[in-house]
Amino acid sequence: MLFSPKIENKYKPKRLAVKLNTKGEQFVLQGHPWVFSNNITKINDGAKSGDLAIIFGKSKNRVIGLGLYDANSPIRIKMLHSGYEKAEINAAFFHKKIEEAFSKRKGLLKSNTNSYRLLFGENDGFPGLIADVYAKVLVVKIYSEIWLPYLESIIPSLQKTAKAETVVLRLSRSLEQSKLHQFENGEVIYGSLENEVVKFVEHNVNFSANVIKGHKTGYFLDHRANRKQVGQWSKGKTVLDVFSYAGGFSVHALFNGAKEVTSLDISAQALEIAVQNGKLNDYIGKHKVIVGDAFEALTNLINENITFDVVVIDPPSFAKQASEINLAKKKYAQLAQLGERLTAKKGLLVLASCSSRVLAQDFFEINRGVLDKTNRPYKMILKTEHDTDHPIGFPEGAYLKCGYYRF
């Protein structure tokens, strides 16, 4: 099998000499992966995305870091290497980083799981690049033009490390519009793919993901440990999975013997996938679906005096920019209120957030404030974050938080 010739490097990146202000220099020496445009005081003319930025110290003429220049982002340089130790950015450099990332996932792969995140962007030293594995299929998603000159060095190493028989390239929306490449979003660049829906296993539970057209790379792997935990606490229970997408929590609950599971999502197509994912496993419980806006649907269930033994509310990000943070906090409070009213006596309410701009401390404080006002006895029994294949390498890399509340 051959890699697509499109990954060959047709643009030879230039080397840029860069000087930063004091704040920018501090960020680099502290190992932060981002350098913003307003931190740059001096740089070569004609810099293009993908050029290698060689960052010199402000006072002494020593190299303090290496990064990739991004002409289209306020995060103008994405760091690859920080500190005074010498490094050469080449195929061997990337391969070493990929091997280091893979070693962090070995514990997870000892379980009956063959789906995992091999590269988690900045947190694994690859800012703006994600690599997810679904059984024998590797899905690489890139968010910036900076990686185009380096795919030839990176993708074969990823394929070899993951032992993938197929490699799919996914592009962010902005990258789809770029004129610097000829790729199509969802293009198979290595091997072949008979079906765009790929089956995989997550802690003994069978799932599938559309690796060509599904959200992100096809599935959300970060909640894996939470899905397993919810499943273990769902035996004989009625379960409500809100913002269910492909039914991650629902399917684990059914697999573990839930009596009845209701998957709620605004997308009828996503719910069809959730039902099909359930059918990949043996279960005896009932799987119901509700298509609709979560806030409206939850209110309707409350008006019908329906409650559930387990309620899971895992919404999409509500704050993709700073201006949305206050509204996001109000929505989290509203969901906590609705979720509590739908949770039966001695029931379990699971509240999650994937908004990186809403800090974990604030999210848990919002939930506590809402639940305290109900005067209903409850106990927070568990607080979780990303699964082990989503290691956190810098503060902004931490986005997922999840609280379990027992009534």
Side-chain angles (χ1 to χ4, degrees), residues 202-312:
E202 177 180 287
H203 291 309
N204 301 311
V205 185
N206 295 316
F207 279 97
S208 67
N210 189 317
V211 297
I212 305 295
K213 298 173 188 163
H215 284 311
K216 307 290 185 180
T217 64
Y219 192 65
F220 297 103
L221 297 168
D222 50 5
H223 260 306
R224 183 190 304 99
N226 287 317
R227 290 190 286 264
K228 180 184 178 185
Q229 185 64 78
V230 166
Q232 290 172 340
W233 286 343
S234 295
K235 186 173 183 179
K237 302 287 201 296
T238 58
V239 179
L240 175 64
D241 180 8
V242 187
F243 303 100
S244 64
Y245 183 51
F249 288 100
S250 300
V251 177
H252 271 271
L254 289 165
F255 178 84
N256 282 275
K259 182 168 63 179
E260 182 180 286
V261 173
T262 302
S263 300
L264 193 166
D265 201 277
I266 199 165
S267 167
Q269 186 180 8
L271 289 171
E272 284 177 22
I273 297 169
V275 170
Q276 292 306 314
N277 278 337
K279 289 178 179 177
L280 295 174
N281 304 275
D282 293 326
Y283 66 88
I284 56 172
K286 189 176 182 182
H287 192 182
K288 298 166 67 177
V289 298
I290 298 175
V291 183
D293 172 82
F295 294 90
E296 292 176 10
L298 295 180
T299 302
N300 292 339
L301 289 169
I302 290 168
N303 292 337
E304 293 169 21
N305 294 316
I306 296 173
T307 59
F308 301 84
D309 300 317
V310 178
V311 176
V312 181

Side-chain angles (χ1 to χ4, degrees), residues 111-132:
S111 66
N112 187 14
T113 298
N114 64 5
S115 54
Y116 62 99
R117 175 151 290 183
L118 175 52
L119 291 182
F120 182 30
E122 286 87 340
N123 301 279
D124 284 309
F126 288 82
L129 190 150
I130 298 292
D132 287 346

